[in-house]
Amino acid sequence: MQLHQGDAAEYILKRVSELHEGHVEPVDLVFVDAFDANDEVPASLWSAGKALDTSPNLREAFSDFQA
Amino acid sequence: MVCSLCVRVPDSACFLSVPSWGLTDSTGTRLFHCIVVCSAAAAVIGVIGILDNALQPMAHATAKFNRSADSHLQMHAPAMEPQAVTHSDPRPNHGSRCRALCIGLGGGSLPNFLSHHFPGLLVDAVELDPLVVTAATDYMGFPRQRCLPVSPLLTPCMLHALSDSDVHAEFWSSMPSTAVLYICLFFIVLACMHPGKGARTSLAVKVTWYAAQAKHATASG
């Protein structure tokens, strides 16, 4: 188990970059248990063009969840 | 042969589970296999399991995630062999260990739960707030460990870790002397700029002392 301290969006983008370079492998399960003051998943994680916005399917799924 | 991790939850409105195979970016690289969004609701019960090649459950653990009282966690699964959670065909990274990422540490019960019930699973947790990390380690039983900063700059959490004497020897002895000198100077300047901050001055003195001790031990050893 490894703990990282910092911004999750930055961490994910860093991992994506390392993934493209072949240094790491994909993550199998991502648990999002981070909420802002409005009790919503921070937009920096899921909104279009952000860290977890890796596919149209995923974006759609997050939108459904938010709704 | 073990196939993959899955997450099954009774209430899809509380959890979001995205099937794994289609999550790729524009270059066709698969980034994540499954994403679970924990609910903002008070308590959610989910089942994390492992499927074999025929998509039959091999083992499972039931977790009750509770944001407001993170310690409430049901553990209903026998510990499995470490090699149980590995990839197999048709995934390209066949044979490697599965990975889970927990965004948001809370009290640390979810990463603890995953590590306990799925010993072969590589678990990473990311937490923004150093106070949450401190609360999890000091009061919620999350194992104390060195915390890696996401960005290369020194973070408050790293400073907290540096105040723990157990990690000092390893940390300082692996660092070049010039870097140690600059870090010590940084802390001294920081303490001088904020003379009213007793804790910060104490930390500066502590860091300088431990660094000097570790480098001295390295030089004499």
Side-chain angles (χ1 to χ4, degrees):
Chain A
M1 185 157 55
Q2 185 62 64
L3 178 61
H4 307 266
Q5 206 264 308
D7 183 35
E10 187 183 342
Y11 174 81
I12 291 168
L13 293 174
K14 189 175 156 191
R15 271 198 66 93
V16 168
S17 165
E18 291 171 349
L19 186 68
H20 284 301
E21 293 165 3
H23 297 152
V24 296
E25 290 175 349
V27 173
D28 297 275
L29 270 174
V30 180
F31 290 89
V32 184
D33 191 12
F35 301 91
D36 60 18
N38 297 321
D39 245 0
E40 291 175 356
V41 176
S44 62
L45 284 175
W46 65 269
S47 58
K50 301 298 182 182
L52 291 178
D53 177 41
T54 56
S55 78
N57 289 341
L58 183 59
R59 185 158 59 239
E60 188 178 321
F62 267 95
S63 301
D64 290 346
F65 176 77
Q66 293 291 324
Chain B
M1 184 178 293
V2 179
C3 182
S4 63
L5 282 168
C6 73
V7 176
R8 185 161 51 84
V9 291
D11 183 358
S12 59
C14 293
F15 264 61
L16 171 67
S17 179
V18 182
S20 58
W21 311 115
L23 297 182
T24 58
D25 67 359
S26 54
T27 65
T29 307
R30 186 174 56 249
L31 303 176
F32 313 109
H33 295 128
C34 180
I35 291 191
V36 179
V37 179
C38 299
S39 171
V44 175
I45 297 176
V47 178
I48 302 169
I50 298 179
L51 306 179
D52 62 14
N53 281 349
L55 298 181
Q56 296 301 310
M58 290 185 63
H60 70 274
T62 304
K64 179 181 180 183
F65 305 107
N66 188 332
R67 284 188 58 211
S68 56
D70 206 29
S71 57
H72 292 174
L73 200 58
Q74 298 174 351
M75 298 187 178
H76 288 163
M80 288 170 290
E81 293 299 319
Q83 64 270 20
V85 191
T86 57
H87 293 144
S88 64
D89 291 335
R91 289 142 66 131
N93 41 358
H94 165 70
S96 60
R97 294 167 69 182
C98 288
R99 308 188 69 104
L101 170 65
C102 301
I103 298 176
L105 180 65
S109 56
L110 179 56
N112 270 344
F113 175 84
L114 293 170
S115 293
H116 179 80
H117 288 295
F118 303 97
L121 187 66
L122 295 170
V123 181
D124 289 285
V126 189
E127 174 54 52
L128 178 63
D129 190 344
L131 290 178
V132 172
V133 176
T134 304
T137 52
D138 291 358
Y139 304 107
M140 310 286 268
F142 188 73
R144 204 176 185 81
Q145 57 187 286
R146 193 197 297 178
C147 184
L148 298 178
V150 170
S151 63
L153 298 174
L154 285 176
T155 66
C157 184
M158 194 173 177
L159 299 185
H160 177 77
L162 290 178
S163 68
D164 182 351
S165 59
D166 292 341
V167 300
H168 269 281
E170 188 188 346
F171 180 83
W172 291 114
S173 58
S174 63
M175 186 170 283
S177 299
T178 317
V180 171
L181 180 65
Y182 278 118
I183 290 176
C184 290
L185 281 174
F186 169 77
F187 276 100
I188 291 168
V189 169
L190 197 67
C192 292
M193 287 171 66
H194 303 276
K197 304 283 186 184
R200 197 169 290 177
T201 307
S202 160
L203 182 63
V205 171
K206 202 184 277 186
V207 164
T208 311
W209 170 246
Y210 278 126
Q213 266 191 326
K215 294 314 284 185
H216 176 70
T218 309
S220 21

